[in-house]
Amino acid sequence: MSTPLKVAVTGAAGQIGYSLLFRLASGALGDRPIELRLLEITPALKALEGVVMELDDCAFPNLTAVEIGDDAEKIFDGVNLALLVGARPRGPGMERGDLLSANGAIFTAQGKALNAAAADDVRIGVTGNPANTNALIAMTNAPDIPDERFSALTRLDHNRAISQLAAKTGASVNDIKKMTIWGNHSATQYPDVFHAEIGGKNAAEVVGDQAWIENDFIPTVAKRGAAIIDARGASSAASAASATCDAARDWLNGSAEGDWVSMAVRSDGSYGVPEGLISSFPVTTKDGNWEIVQGLEIDEFSRARIDASTAELAEERTAVTELGLI
Ligand code: NAX
């Protein structure tokens, strides 16, 4: 048996965790042995013990060990992949500054703990919101880990965009390639069909309906999270877990030939996105590394939307800088 991949999951007793852990243990990252290392806050450890009992009861052949705890440095010891899901949700009456500082406390501490304890090859994916800025905080607090090892999740938005486009055109999701989410994982995100393809043809041309793209598709994808809360009475969990697995699998194992994925990664200034922001781009991945797809033509329509979302990210960066978190 090869050496198990050590995967840390934070917020493991939460809604997303309840779906994510079972996907990871049953082979979402490939047919390979895996060790789970699960971090929770102290009051949630008992619930987490129950989840671990259920993991045991699945008798997953590839799950070699499960460790749980509330000490980040212990849980992150030697991890090759860290999926940072646990975060502080916005409570009633909470201002954005309060939200950023509550999460700042979590992600500064976890950045430091990863810096101290993770394996040299660690990859870190942030799902907990505000995901892009949480990733920026963790990255800045982990000076010994290369910046390109941090990413924030926009794969759920990417998958939502593919699904909406498939429903509109009657195409199979398998025929839709080169979807891109630009910017922030928030309502300002820009799902871009102008570079996407359906069965090898330009997706915007296949749709042939600019009004639908502008007034229907983009807001439906950007506000899908709120629509799920309205319908389900709880935020998306299984789909978020599935996207977290998709993103990690493609990062570690490589994106498909002739396609790309959306990941929020540190901007090198490509496409006019201010350097250093964790912003979503079209990327290809190979051997655990990513590269921003270059050379796409950005028209005025796309430019305005990319700029609006990255302006929001720049504001968040200013806010967390002023709070002394980065
Ligand atoms: P839950 O509230 O069900 O679970 C969060 C868990 O994190 C709780 O069990 C809590 O005890 C734990 N936690 C809090 N602080 C922690 C800390 N310092 N260390 C370890 N664990 C900690 O939320 P859930 O529905 O699972 O969502 C988790 C996060 O994902 C939220 O921030 C949510 O907003 C975010 N989402 C991100 C998405 C994305 O596409 N990027 C989509 C889905 C989801 O909204």
Side-chain angles (χ1 to χ4, degrees), residues 38 47 56 85 126 131 149-150 155 168 214 236 261 280 282 309:
L38 311 177
D56 289 344
V85 177
V126 178
R149 302 291 188 74
F150 287 84
R155 185 61 174 266
K168 168 74 175 172
E214 211 170 322
S236 11
V261 293
S280 188
S309 195

Side-chain angles (χ1 to χ4, degrees), residues 137-179:
I137 294 170
M139 181 182 88
T140 312
N141 283 277
D144 303 326
I145 300 177
D147 289 352
E148 62 271 17
R149 302 291 188 74
F150 287 84
S151 79
L153 189 76
T154 50
R155 185 61 174 266
L156 177 56
D157 310 296
H158 176 104
N159 289 347
R160 286 167 170 167
I162 289 175
S163 153
Q164 291 299 319
L165 197 54
K168 168 74 175 172
T169 59
S172 149
V173 290
N174 301 306
D175 294 332
I176 299 179
K177 311 279 184 218
K178 301 185 178 173
M179 180 57 73

Side-chain angles (χ1 to χ4, degrees), residues 66-250:
V66 183
E67 177 122 12
I68 72 169
D70 56 6
D71 179 333
E73 217 173 296
K74 273 194 197 146
I75 291 298
F76 292 153
D77 186 35
V79 297
N80 312 107
L81 176 67
L83 301 173
L84 308 186
V85 177
R88 181 79 192 279
R90 191 190 286 248
M94 210 171 170
E95 298 295 331
R96 199 174 70 135
D98 302 332
L99 183 75
L100 288 172
S101 38
N103 280 295
I106 296 173
F107 287 86
T108 48
Q110 292 185 359
K112 286 177 183 150
L114 285 163
N115 197 59
D120 286 345
D121 67 354
V122 68
R123 266 81 186 157
I124 298 137
V126 178
T127 296
N129 280 322
N132 300 53
T133 296
N134 287 342
L136 177 69
I137 294 170
M139 181 182 88
T140 312
N141 283 277
D144 303 326
I145 300 177
D147 289 352
E148 62 271 17
R149 302 291 188 74
F150 287 84
S151 79
L153 189 76
T154 50
R155 185 61 174 266
L156 177 56
D157 310 296
H158 176 104
N159 289 347
R160 286 167 170 167
I162 289 175
S163 153
Q164 291 299 319
L165 197 54
K168 168 74 175 172
T169 59
S172 149
V173 290
N174 301 306
D175 294 332
I176 299 179
K177 311 279 184 218
K178 301 185 178 173
M179 180 57 73
T180 306
I181 303 294
W182 299 91
N184 199 0
H185 167 69
S186 76
T188 68
Q189 66 175 266
Y190 171 46
D192 172 4
V193 290
F194 295 98
H195 299 100
E197 293 175 0
I198 303 180
K201 298 195 184 95
N202 180 274
E205 282 167 23
V206 174
V207 169
D209 183 349
Q210 177 73 20
W212 178 79
I213 293 171
E214 211 170 322
N215 304 326
D216 213 326
F217 172 75
I218 295 174
T220 298
V221 174
K223 295 180 190 157
R224 184 72 163 178
I228 307 251
I229 293 174
D230 268 356
R232 207 173 85 85
S235 57
S236 11
S239 55
S242 189
T244 300
C245 291
D246 288 347
R249 180 201 61 220
D250 287 347

Side-chain angles (χ1 to χ4, degrees), residues 1 21 25 32-36 55-56 59-66:
M1 207 186 209
L21 304 182
R32 61 194 301 177
I34 168 170
E35 175 179 332
L36 288 175
L55 279 169
D56 289 344
F60 287 120
N62 275 333
L63 185 59
T64 60
V66 183

